[in-house]
Amino acid sequence: MSDSTLPNWIEEHVRQYMETNGEKGHIWNGMPTLLLTTQGRKSDMSRTIPLIYGTHEGSYVVVGSKGGHPHHPSWYLNLDKNPSVKVQVGSKHMNGVARTSSGEERQNLWNQMCQVFSGYTEYANKTDREIPVVVIDCC
């Protein structure tokens, strides 16, 4: 189930991704996207959002940019309470555990993700918070 508080275009992205098992939506505006499902920290409901992703050493990497908003995105805050997630990449469905990268690892992954989507640099310039770079280890 996706989050009904999301903008319509995001809801539509999630719907198409799910209905076509990733055939539509995996590549969005030329970028790879996955579906991340977290457990709501307040509602305890499943929340699904499409995110641009990269890979590193067999793990998936996503960025909690929220377009440079001053606050972290809800999906990222949900990970504090429960780092267990579900991930769909194309037609592949997996369980995973998310963690926030830090230090040199974060910087290297940040640089990698800015190559995937150059807008992250602009988003970082719009906010005072450090934008989290999340690593998802799937099993």
Side-chain angles (χ1 to χ4, degrees), residues 48-70:
T48 300
I49 187 153
L51 297 170
I52 296 167
Y53 76 92
T55 58
H56 179 71
E57 296 180 355
S59 298
Y60 295 99
V61 180
V62 294
V63 175
S65 66
K66 197 174 181 182
H69 192 275

Side-chain angles (χ1 to χ4, degrees), residues 7 19 23-24 29-30 43 45 47 50 53 62-63 75 82 91 97 103 109-110 119 127 129 132:
E19 285 180 0
E23 189 174 315
K24 291 183 181 177
N29 291 342
S43 69
M45 293 176 59
R47 303 289 186 192
Y53 76 92
V62 294
V63 175
W75 66 262
N82 185 355
S91 62
V97 177
L109 294 175
W110 173 259
T127 186
R129 69 181 171 93

Side-chain angles (χ1 to χ4, degrees), residues 88-109:
Q88 181 178 348
V89 179
S91 62
K92 190 173 181 181
H93 298 256
M94 300 158 279
N95 293 319
V97 177
R99 65 177 176 81
T100 303
S101 63
S102 61
E104 186 177 337
E105 178 191 44
R106 184 210 174 270
Q107 188 60 53
N108 291 337
L109 294 175

